[in-house]
Amino acid sequence: MESSSSSSVVLPWVIFLCGAVLVHPNPTLPANQSASLILPLKAMQIPNKLSFHHNVSLTVSVAVGSPPQRATMVLDTGSHLSWLHCAGAAAPPSSFNSGASTSYRPIPCSAPTCTNPISEFSLPVSCAAGNLCHVILSYADASAVEGSLAADTFRLDESGTTFPGTVFGCMVSGSSPNPEEDSKATGLLGMNRGRLSFVSQSGFPKFSYCISGRDSSGVLLLGAADYQWLRPLNYTPMIQITTPLPNFDKIAYTVRLQAILIAGRPLSVPESVFEPDHTGAGQTMVDSGTQFTFLLGPVYAALKSEFLNRTAGILQPVEDPNFVFQGAMDVCYRIGDISRVDLEVALPSVTVVLGGGAEIRVSGERLLYGIGGNRYCLTFGNSELLGVEAYVIGHHHQQDMWVEFDLVNSRVGLTEFSCELASRRMGLES
């Protein structure tokens, strides 16, 4: 999640893309194309953009260049530009070697991509030495990367589906709170609604994913998910605005948040607190680049109070009342041996209610994240402690849900579904 827009455990893993089953015959087809590209998601641990150590990020394994070089990229629906660490003196071992690719093309300062105003960048595009189009990207954890715009061929599967001329950032320097951990990924795959995002450039009208809640295969699908066994999806419309607002990210997947329920009862907060204000602050974004779900201060305070009241005498809070896990999560407990069944009974469910009737229900072990020493923290955090003026629905609370981003009809579809079962039905290996 880029800082210009907003802000990314119970289970320590990440998602890797492997081979494909169905192949999109021609990525340049118009938006009414019917074929889809399906890839399995595998689980591993890797950090994400937010300042949580050893977090879970969703990553895709792609091939870039000619001959192809393998790259592990964080899948981020909160970012508009894909980028790779490019080989250099200070680059991590996993970097992309642009000099070894015969299809690599740097984008000059005179190119329309560089000369036209690009408001989607948090910092202005400039012209660097060598007539290169220079970009800087900054993120919510105060990390940043910079380099030059370029184009090359991207491949997402083993059967020849290519996306030639894909624009991305070839980054040669940056700063990060966790440089050693961040070096495990080669870069980031931007998937929001910006014109330079990978999904916009590739021309797919829809894409979906199912994030496994267990150590088994999930799914990433580019194209339409025409499967009867996935129906019905509950759709919530994307919010669109025409007037530019300083604190509203117009290319994010913004939906309408209507209520937060705890144990089926709405929090005691005014409905107006869920609406963006006159500056655009307070939008609600679906962001795969953010791990947990973050709420604006007043709503988080109400959830915290109610959750503590309902777990009093059941769970033992951490003794230090000033303890805040990684600066954003301060509802934490000491818990010994407890089963998932016990958690389902002991903990009140939290439901995120969206416009159009779509809901995300969080219960049991997904409400808590183990941070070591028998300590667990609530997987909802205070976005204002992150310096983010928005509600952010992270990928931890999207586990074992089919999530569809319908770009043509400007809506997001949700339904609870076993990702392991989806993988089997699509013929993917577990």
Side-chain angles (χ1 to χ4, degrees), residues 133-171:
C133 188
H134 184 258
V135 294
I136 301 175
L137 301 177
S138 60
Y139 295 95
D141 65 348
S143 66
V145 290
E146 63 178 294
S148 302
L149 289 183
D152 210 332
T153 298
F154 277 57
R155 297 169 176 83
L156 294 186
D157 69 324
E158 304 295 337
S159 52
T161 307
T162 62
F163 301 87
T166 298
V167 176
F168 69 102
C170 189
M171 303 310 197

Side-chain angles (χ1 to χ4, degrees), residues 5-132:
S5 62
S6 69
S7 93
S8 281
V9 226
V10 174
L11 303 173
W13 54 63
V14 169
I15 308 299
F16 276 87
L17 276 170
C18 303
V21 172
L22 296 182
V23 177
H24 195 292
N26 184 349
T28 62
L29 287 177
N32 63 357
Q33 56 199 338
S34 58
S36 300
L37 180 64
I38 305 172
L39 304 103
L41 301 174
K42 294 292 184 180
M44 289 185 67
Q45 181 170 303
I46 198 169
N48 66 358
K49 304 194 303 290
L50 290 183
S51 57
F52 296 98
H53 296 288
H54 305 294
N55 266 337
V56 176
S57 288
L58 308 178
T59 70
V60 295
S61 179
V62 305
V64 183
S66 304
Q69 302 174 42
R70 276 292 159 192
T72 298
M73 305 180 73
V74 174
L75 180 69
D76 190 359
T77 61
S79 292
H80 75 284
L81 180 69
S82 303
W83 58 263
L84 295 169
H85 287 296
C86 283
S94 60
S95 298
F96 173 67
N97 185 354
S98 60
S101 172
T102 59
S103 52
Y104 177 84
R105 297 290 183 271
I107 292 179
C109 300
S110 58
T113 301
C114 194
T115 57
N116 292 341
I118 304 177
S119 60
E120 296 164 7
F121 287 98
S122 54
L123 295 172
V125 175
S126 61
C127 190
N131 194 34
L132 299 178

Side-chain angles (χ1 to χ4, degrees), residues 294-374:
F294 294 91
L295 309 173
L296 287 185
V299 177
Y300 177 75
L303 176 63
K304 173 182 176 179
S305 176
E306 189 67 21
F307 198 86
L308 288 171
N309 288 338
R310 288 179 177 269
T311 55
I314 300 173
L315 300 179
Q316 177 189 356
V318 171
E319 290 83 354
D320 183 358
N322 297 316
F323 178 79
V324 181
F325 174 57
Q326 293 293 335
M329 307 168 83
D330 61 357
V331 179
C332 301
Y333 300 92
R334 291 196 180 278
I335 301 176
D337 295 332
I338 187 168
S339 69
R340 295 190 192 96
V341 175
D342 292 335
L343 285 175
E344 289 286 349
V345 174
L347 302 182
S349 64
V350 177
T351 303
V352 179
V353 181
L354 304 174
E359 295 184 351
I360 298 175
R361 184 177 182 273
V362 184
S363 62
E365 62 180 336
R366 288 188 192 162
L367 286 164
L368 299 176
Y369 169 52
I371 62 174
N374 290 330

Side-chain angles (χ1 to χ4, degrees), residues 387-409:
V388 175
E389 295 183 294
Y391 298 93
V392 184
I393 301 172
H395 66 71
H396 179 76
H397 292 158
Q398 300 173 45
Q399 290 178 359
D400 276 325
M401 296 191 73
W402 189 271
V403 184
E404 177 186 89
F405 297 86
D406 184 344
L407 308 180
V408 173
N409 297 302

